[in-house]
Amino acid sequence: MNNITKKRIYMDCAATTPVHPDVVQAMLPFFTENFGNPSTVHSFGREAKSAMEEAREKLANAIFAKPEEIVFTSGGTEADNFAIKGVAYFDKNKGGHIITSKIEHHAVLETCHFLEKNGFTITYLPVDEYGTVNPEDVQKAITDKTILISIMHANNEIGTIEPIAEIGKIARKHNITFHSDAVQTLGSIPVNVDELNVDMLSFSAHKLYGPKGIGAIYIRKGTKMVSFLHGGEQERRRRAGTENVPYIVGFGKAVEIAISELVQKRENLTCLRDKLTNRILTEIEQTKLNGHPTAKLPGHINVTIKHIEGESMVLNLDMEGIAASTGSACSSGSLEASHVLTSIGVAPEDARSSLRLTLGRQTTEDNINKVADILKKVITRLRAISPLYKKR
Ligand code: PLP
C-alpha cells in the first residue's frame, strides 16, 4: 500500500480492495515473458495454460469443487448474468419461472428484469427485518414452471448471510437449479459447494485483494445451461475468448492467500467490527444497526444515523480522510433509497441516512478508534445544521 492510502483510512472493502502485493508479483511475468496464448501448442502457450490451470485448481480447492467446474469470467456481474441467462435460456420451454430475492445485487436484479421483458416470470421474495430470506417462502414460491432459484450468499450492503444450505436442499428436492452470488463471501467466510447444496456460484477477484475485471462461475457437473459467449473453444466452450491469463493467475494467488488467512482474518475483523459498532451505537445518539445481529459478514457495518443524508456523511468523512459508502457502489451518487434497506423495512428517509463501513485485512484497532472519533465529530457538525435533528 502506498503512502497516500496509508494516511487515509479505507473503510469500503465491500466495494473493492487493494491488490495484494504478492498478487501483483504473481501476475507480472504473465504480461511480459510468459505472455503466451493458452490455446497455442508451443512452450509459450503451454506455460500460460499451465499457470491458468493452476489458478483454476486453487479456486476449485478453496470451494471444494473440481477444476473443470470453474469457468473464468470478467467479474461478478458476468458470472451472475451467465448463471441466470444460461439456465433461463436452456430451460425456457419448461416454463420460464425464476425465484430470487428483493435484496439481490443489481447484477442479479437487472438480469431478472431483462428476462421478465423477454417472457420469463420472476418471483422476488421478500426478506425479514434482518434481510434474511425464509426458506419456507422459497418452498411456497416453487411451481411446476420453476427452472431456477438465485439467492445471494451474503448481502453486499448489510452483510446478512442467507440460509443457502437450507434453500439448496429445497431446490434439490424439486430438481431445480440453484445459483448463489458468493461475491461478498469468498475469502470472508467458508464457501463449500457441497455443504451449501448449490449448483452455481458467482465470484469476483477484486473483493478479495485480487485485480478488478476478473471473476469466475462455479458450475456443478451436470448443470444444464447455454454458453455465455460464442466463438472459440476456450473454457470448455462455455465462455469463448482468449483468457485473461495475468488476471486469472492473480485471482488464483488472491484466493490462495485469502484461504490461508481466512480463520485469523475472520476473528480479527469480527472483533474490530463489533468494537466500532458498539462505539457508534453507544456514543452517537439516534443510531440503529441494519442487518442481522449475528449471521453477518465479519467486516460489515451498516447503520442508520438519523436526520443526516448518507451522501453528506460520506463527503464529510472523505474530507477527513475516511472512505465509506452509503450502500452499494453502483447506486451511490443516486438519491434513490437503497432497495436493500427499504426491503428490510427501513423508512426511505432513514435509508437515505445510512452509512456502510466495511473493514478489511488492512484495518487496525487504531483505524477503528480514529473512525469512531471522526464520525462523532462529523455527525455533531452535520446535525448542528440539520433542520430535522432534535436532541433526545
Ligand atoms: N454481486 C455482489 C454481491 C457484489 O457485491 C458485486 C460488486 O459490488 C457484484 C456482484 C459485481 O461484481 P463485479 O464488480 O466483479 O462485476
Side-chain angles (χ1 to χ4, degrees), residues 75-77 80 105 152 156 181 183-184 204 206-207:
T77 300
D80 285 341
H105 188 271
M152 69 203 315
N156 46 302
D181 177 332
V183 166
Q184 291 289 336
S204 178
H206 74 99
K207 309 289 182 180

Short mmCIF file of all heavy atoms in Angstrom, two decimals, residues 75-77 80 105 152 156 181 183-184 204 206-207, ligand 1:
data_model
loop_
_atom_site.label_atom_id
_atom_site.label_comp_id
_atom_site.label_asym_id
_atom_site.label_seq_id
_atom_site.Cartn_x
_atom_site.Cartn_y
_atom_site.Cartn_z
N GLY A 75 -15.79 -10.99 -14.23
CA GLY A 75 -16.11 -10.47 -12.89
C GLY A 75 -17.42 -11.05 -12.37
O GLY A 75 -17.98 -11.98 -12.98
N GLY A 76 -17.87 -10.49 -11.26
CA GLY A 76 -19.10 -10.98 -10.63
C GLY A 76 -20.33 -10.71 -11.48
O GLY A 76 -21.24 -11.54 -11.55
N THR A 77 -20.38 -9.56 -12.12
CA THR A 77 -21.55 -9.20 -12.92
C THR A 77 -21.73 -10.21 -14.06
O THR A 77 -22.83 -10.70 -14.30
CB THR A 77 -21.38 -7.77 -13.50
OG1 THR A 77 -21.25 -6.87 -12.39
CG2 THR A 77 -22.56 -7.36 -14.35
N ASP A 80 -22.95 -13.59 -12.69
CA ASP A 80 -24.39 -13.58 -12.39
C ASP A 80 -25.22 -13.65 -13.66
O ASP A 80 -26.19 -14.41 -13.76
CB ASP A 80 -24.76 -12.30 -11.60
CG ASP A 80 -24.31 -12.36 -10.15
OD1 ASP A 80 -24.04 -13.47 -9.64
OD2 ASP A 80 -24.23 -11.29 -9.51
N HIS A 105 -28.00 -8.17 -5.53
CA HIS A 105 -27.20 -7.14 -6.19
C HIS A 105 -27.85 -6.82 -7.54
O HIS A 105 -28.54 -7.66 -8.12
CB HIS A 105 -25.78 -7.68 -6.41
CG HIS A 105 -24.82 -6.66 -6.91
ND1 HIS A 105 -24.62 -6.42 -8.25
CD2 HIS A 105 -24.00 -5.81 -6.25
CE1 HIS A 105 -23.71 -5.48 -8.39
NE2 HIS A 105 -23.32 -5.08 -7.19
N MET A 152 -28.58 -14.75 -3.01
CA MET A 152 -27.17 -14.43 -2.72
C MET A 152 -26.69 -15.08 -1.42
O MET A 152 -27.48 -15.28 -0.49
CB MET A 152 -26.95 -12.92 -2.70
CG MET A 152 -27.58 -12.19 -1.55
SD MET A 152 -27.86 -10.42 -1.87
CE MET A 152 -26.36 -9.86 -2.60
N ASN A 156 -24.35 -7.51 0.07
CA ASN A 156 -23.24 -6.56 -0.02
C ASN A 156 -23.47 -5.27 0.77
O ASN A 156 -22.52 -4.60 1.17
CB ASN A 156 -22.95 -6.21 -1.48
CG ASN A 156 -24.19 -5.91 -2.27
OD1 ASN A 156 -25.09 -6.73 -2.37
ND2 ASN A 156 -24.26 -4.73 -2.83
N ASP A 181 -25.03 -15.92 -5.47
CA ASP A 181 -24.00 -14.92 -5.71
C ASP A 181 -23.10 -14.89 -4.46
O ASP A 181 -23.52 -14.43 -3.39
CB ASP A 181 -24.69 -13.56 -5.94
CG ASP A 181 -23.70 -12.42 -6.12
OD1 ASP A 181 -22.58 -12.50 -5.59
OD2 ASP A 181 -24.06 -11.42 -6.77
N VAL A 183 -20.13 -13.37 -4.28
CA VAL A 183 -19.10 -12.35 -4.50
C VAL A 183 -18.59 -11.77 -3.18
O VAL A 183 -17.40 -11.52 -3.02
CB VAL A 183 -19.65 -11.23 -5.44
CG1 VAL A 183 -18.77 -10.00 -5.41
CG2 VAL A 183 -19.79 -11.76 -6.86
N GLN A 184 -19.48 -11.60 -2.20
CA GLN A 184 -19.06 -11.00 -0.94
C GLN A 184 -18.52 -12.02 0.06
O GLN A 184 -17.98 -11.64 1.10
CB GLN A 184 -20.22 -10.23 -0.29
CG GLN A 184 -20.62 -8.97 -1.04
CD GLN A 184 -19.59 -7.84 -0.93
OE1 GLN A 184 -18.80 -7.78 0.01
NE2 GLN A 184 -19.60 -6.93 -1.88
N SER A 204 -15.88 -12.79 -7.61
CA SER A 204 -15.19 -11.65 -8.20
C SER A 204 -13.88 -11.42 -7.44
O SER A 204 -13.89 -11.32 -6.21
CB SER A 204 -16.07 -10.40 -8.07
OG SER A 204 -15.40 -9.29 -8.59
N HIS A 206 -11.80 -8.87 -7.22
CA HIS A 206 -11.42 -7.60 -6.59
C HIS A 206 -11.99 -7.39 -5.20
O HIS A 206 -11.66 -6.42 -4.51
CB HIS A 206 -11.72 -6.41 -7.52
CG HIS A 206 -13.16 -6.03 -7.65
ND1 HIS A 206 -13.71 -5.00 -6.95
CD2 HIS A 206 -14.14 -6.52 -8.43
CE1 HIS A 206 -14.99 -4.85 -7.30
NE2 HIS A 206 -15.28 -5.79 -8.20
N LYS A 207 -12.85 -8.32 -4.74
CA LYS A 207 -13.36 -8.22 -3.38
C LYS A 207 -12.42 -8.93 -2.41
O LYS A 207 -12.62 -8.88 -1.21
CB LYS A 207 -14.75 -8.84 -3.28
CG LYS A 207 -15.75 -8.35 -4.31
CD LYS A 207 -16.21 -6.94 -4.07
CE LYS A 207 -17.25 -6.56 -5.12
NZ LYS A 207 -17.76 -5.21 -4.97
N1 PLP B 1 -22.56 -9.29 -6.64
C1 PLP B 1 -22.29 -8.70 -5.47
C2 PLP B 1 -22.93 -9.21 -4.23
C3 PLP B 1 -21.39 -7.63 -5.40
O1 PLP B 1 -21.14 -7.05 -4.23
C4 PLP B 1 -20.79 -7.18 -6.61
C5 PLP B 1 -19.87 -6.00 -6.60
O2 PLP B 1 -20.16 -5.00 -5.98
C6 PLP B 1 -21.10 -7.83 -7.81
C7 PLP B 1 -21.98 -8.88 -7.79
C8 PLP B 1 -20.49 -7.41 -9.10
O3 PLP B 1 -19.16 -7.86 -9.20
P1 PLP B 1 -18.14 -7.16 -10.24
O4 PLP B 1 -17.82 -5.81 -9.67
O5 PLP B 1 -16.96 -8.06 -10.26
O6 PLP B 1 -18.84 -7.11 -11.55
#
